[in-house]
């Protein structure tokens, strides 16, 4: 999972020995978790641009991806505001030499600092795998934002309410494809079942509460019940089976990732890290 | 003695029929999703207008594709999709007898009275 080089260990130590009491940075951490998750899925889905199976679906997946980067920016901007207002001084601020911005948070944080879900960093694979990843994630996001739109934090509630409309469409689009491919030909069904087997171990993490989610997501078990109910309904219609007794991977929420994230960040952050502040 | 002559063209590996592209055209027609015509109502009170066409496997997918391809810049509030094969068009060759007789009948235009502003779009 985590490569054992020295710089990574220093990062890890820095997080652990932070003088800030943990609860103080909870809201910032939660926002970064939301922002990182949507950003990494954006980066993954973005690779389909110009390569979609047909023109219309190329546009569809790119549209969804644009929604996701919009959400991600909202979360980063809000997180940056809170970080600058608080006494917290996370590493991007030190590195960039001035205030945290949406860009410094996206481009100058390391693998251990990224709090995205493991599910979204998994490979695109074939169209089936991309569809399954999008569906499992969008259904989760739907029920999550449904809760968050009632948050006491007005700004977070507003972002969630706005995003919920977008996500509603993502769910309907991806569910439609799950049914088409699952209930399609022998080959499409087989590919879908393979994609589900590959991604299912990364779904458990969505419902394992991280420290910083306490007090913000009040009923994570409810989230899980609703998620599994929706997934079951769609899978049944698609004649797809849900894997049973699978060991669930976790760690993404706390910065412990699969080996894939390092490669994503290397590609995504390269330009900003070699030419700090570069614009286009 | 039987002599058969085969003509070869540049890049040609399968006789004249293959080289003409007929075969490729046939397989595309067989495998491609049907074509759909898309109509968009840009705001309440206006008519649906033809926006273009796209490929989709069925009506539901055509609707989704239309949403993604044609309404991403706030172009519309309502969509119609019609499979292109169900649209029957007039023949351009008959344009003369079809439309030209109307040219000199200006009295058929409703331009001789004023429409009150309250009527709005007509």
């Amino acid at each position: 999972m985590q490569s054992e080089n020295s710089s990574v260990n220093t990062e890890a130590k820095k997080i652990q020995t932070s003088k800030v009491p943990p609860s103080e940075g909870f809201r910032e951490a939660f926002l970064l978790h939301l922002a990182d998750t949507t950003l990494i899925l954006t980066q993954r889905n973005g690779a389909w641009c110009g390569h979609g199976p047909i023109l219309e679906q190329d546009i569809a997946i790119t549209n969804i991806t644009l929604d996701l980067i919009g959400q991600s920016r909202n979360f980063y901007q809000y997180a940056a505001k809170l970080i600058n207002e608080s006494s917290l001084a996370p590493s991007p601020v030190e590195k960039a030499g001035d205030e945290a911005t949406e860009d410094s948070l996206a481009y100058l944080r390391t693998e251990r600092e990224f709090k995205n879900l493991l599910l979204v960093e998994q490979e695109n694979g074939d169209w089936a795998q991309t569809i399954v990843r999008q569906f499992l994630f969008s259904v989760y996001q739907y029920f999550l934002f449904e809760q968050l739109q009632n948050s006491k934090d007005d700004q977070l509630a507003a972002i969630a309410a706005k995003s919920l409309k977008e996500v509603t469409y993502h769910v309907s689009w991806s569910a439609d494809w799950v049914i088409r491919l699952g209930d399609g030909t022998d080959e499409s069904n087989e590919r879908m079942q393979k994609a589900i087997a590959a991604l299912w171990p990364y779904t458990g993490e969505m419902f394992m509460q991280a420290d910083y989610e306490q007090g913000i997501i009040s009923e994570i078990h409810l989230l899980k019940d609703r998620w599994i109910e929706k997934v079951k309904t769609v899978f049944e219609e698609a004649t797809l089976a849900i894997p049973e007794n699978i060991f669930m991977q976790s760690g993404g929420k706390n910065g412990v990732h699969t080996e894939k994230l390092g490669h994503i960040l290397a590609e995504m952050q390269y330009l900003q890290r070699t030419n700090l502040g570069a614009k286009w | 003695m039987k002599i058969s002559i085969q003509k070869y063209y540049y890049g040609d590996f399968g006789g004249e029929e293959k080289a003409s592209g007929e075969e490729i055209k046939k397989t595309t027609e067989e495998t491609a999703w049907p074509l759909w015509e898309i109509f968009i109502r840009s705001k309440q009170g206006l008519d649906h207008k033809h926006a273009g066409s796209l490929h989709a496997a069925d009506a539901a997918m055509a609707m989704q594709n239309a949403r993604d391809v044609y309404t991403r810049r706030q172009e519309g509030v309502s969509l119609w999709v019609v499979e292109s094969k169900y649209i029957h068009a007039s023949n351009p060759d008959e344009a003369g007898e079809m439309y030209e007789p109307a040219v000199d009948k200006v009295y058929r235009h409703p331009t001789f009275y004023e429409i009150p502003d309250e009527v709005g779009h007509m």
Side-chain angles (χ1 to χ4, degrees):
Chain A
M1 295 280 276
Q2 184 62 47
S3 64
E4 289 295 321
N5 66 50
S6 57
S7 72
V8 165
N9 285 338
T10 341
E11 284 301 334
K13 230 173 256 167
K14 199 152 81 188
I15 291 166
Q16 281 158 12
T17 58
S18 168
K19 283 175 202 155
V20 182
S23 61
E24 199 171 307
F26 273 15
R27 202 152 54 127
E28 289 85 346
F30 181 62
L31 285 168
L32 286 175
H33 154 67
L34 295 174
D36 292 342
T37 299
T38 40
L39 180 68
I40 297 301
L41 188 55
T42 296
Q43 183 69 11
R44 275 296 193 214
N45 278 350
W48 276 107
C49 185
H51 300 275
I54 62 158
L55 174 79
E56 289 82 354
Q57 295 309 322
D58 192 298
I59 297 175
I61 189 85
T62 316
N63 268 351
I64 288 175
T65 307
L66 283 171
D67 289 342
L68 293 175
I69 188 85
Q71 295 170 11
S72 184
R73 289 191 60 191
N74 284 332
F75 291 131
Y76 277 130
Q77 284 166 359
Y78 186 36
K81 186 173 162 268
L82 292 181
I83 288 168
N84 291 329
E85 283 168 5
S86 80
S87 55
L88 280 172
S91 43
V93 179
E94 289 161 24
K95 281 177 207 155
D98 52 15
E99 293 201 312
T101 64
E102 51 174 324
D103 287 335
S104 76
L105 293 174
Y107 291 124
L108 302 176
R109 280 158 62 244
T110 63
E111 199 182 336
R112 278 303 301 253
E113 291 167 298
F114 265 72
K115 296 174 174 47
N116 61 279
L117 294 171
L118 297 174
L119 177 67
V120 298
E121 68 197 44
Q122 300 311 307
E123 274 145 354
N124 284 348
D126 54 11
W127 186 244
Q129 187 155 326
T130 294
I131 290 295
V132 171
R133 186 182 60 197
Q134 190 65 49
F135 173 68
L136 297 176
F137 175 68
S138 291
V139 174
Y140 163 75
Q141 231 190 357
Y142 179 86
F143 292 117
L144 177 67
F145 287 173
E146 201 181 46
Q147 254 195 45
L148 292 181
Q149 67 175 346
N150 300 319
S151 165
K152 281 172 206 148
D153 181 332
D154 289 343
Q155 181 68 23
L156 179 59
I159 300 172
K162 178 184 178 282
S163 307
L164 193 59
K165 277 185 191 162
E166 298 166 346
V167 175
T168 306
Y169 182 75
H170 304 171
V171 170
S172 108
W173 177 86
S174 56
D176 199 84
W177 268 105
V178 168
I179 294 164
R180 266 174 209 291
L181 295 176
D183 194 18
T185 63
D186 286 346
E187 191 189 345
S188 70
N189 181 283
E190 197 184 308
R191 282 182 186 231
M192 286 297 277
Q193 208 63 68
K194 226 169 118 187
I196 293 166
L199 295 173
W200 200 258
Y202 302 103
T203 56
E205 186 199 16
M206 301 192 284
F207 312 105
M208 297 178 196
Q209 195 148 33
D211 290 347
Y212 54 77
E213 285 176 310
Q214 284 165 17
I216 300 179
I217 303 178
S218 45
E219 292 161 315
I220 205 157
H221 63 280
L222 266 182
L223 208 62
K224 185 180 182 178
D225 293 347
R226 285 173 190 153
W227 181 83
I228 196 76
E229 197 189 318
K230 173 72 180 174
V231 170
K232 258 187 190 158
T233 315
V234 172
F235 276 19
E236 255 166 42
E237 202 181 333
T239 67
L240 293 166
I242 290 179
E244 274 169 48
N245 300 323
I246 300 283
F247 173 76
M248 291 295 184
Q249 300 284 347
S250 63
K253 282 180 177 178
N254 291 314
V256 182
H257 294 278
T258 62
E259 70 278 12
K260 286 143 193 153
L261 184 68
H263 294 280
I264 299 175
L265 293 186
E267 191 174 69
M268 189 181 77
Q269 297 183 332
Y270 173 78
L271 193 81
Q272 278 300 318
R273 286 195 183 272
T274 45
N275 302 288
L276 197 63
K279 285 194 168 120
W280 70 307
Chain B
M1 197 170 150
K2 226 179 172 183
I3 299 171
S4 75
I5 299 170
Q6 182 112 41
K7 271 205 270 179
Y8 282 98
Y9 301 98
Y10 179 72
D12 181 4
F13 298 100
E16 284 180 50
E17 197 149 305
K18 215 170 191 175
S20 72
E22 279 302 314
E23 220 163 277
I24 298 165
K25 207 174 136 201
K26 210 174 135 199
T27 48
T28 325
E29 273 166 11
E30 277 168 5
T31 56
W33 289 336
L35 197 64
W36 297 74
E37 300 299 323
I38 311 304
F39 299 84
I40 299 177
R41 163 181 279 173
S42 57
K43 60 180 180 186
Q44 296 298 344
L46 293 183
D47 296 331
H48 285 76
K49 278 212 171 103
H50 186 234
S53 54
L54 50 75
H55 292 279
D58 55 32
M61 192 195 278
M63 197 62 93
Q64 279 184 352
N65 287 351
R67 182 262 189 197
D68 281 318
V69 176
Y70 290 110
T71 68
R72 39 203 302 270
R73 299 180 190 84
Q74 294 181 296
E75 287 94 336
V77 295
S78 165
L79 279 170
W80 287 351
V81 298
V82 182
E83 208 178 329
S84 306
K85 70 177 181 191
Y86 293 116
I87 293 191
H88 301 270
S90 60
N91 186 348
D93 293 342
E94 293 163 6
E97 61 263 38
M98 291 276 275
Y99 313 115
E100 271 170 38
V103 168
D104 61 351
K105 299 177 179 64
V106 68
Y107 48 83
R108 289 180 180 165
H109 290 269
T111 51
F112 298 100
Y113 53 88
E114 282 177 14
I115 300 169
D117 291 339
E118 298 84 65
V119 174
H121 298 292
M122 270 192 86

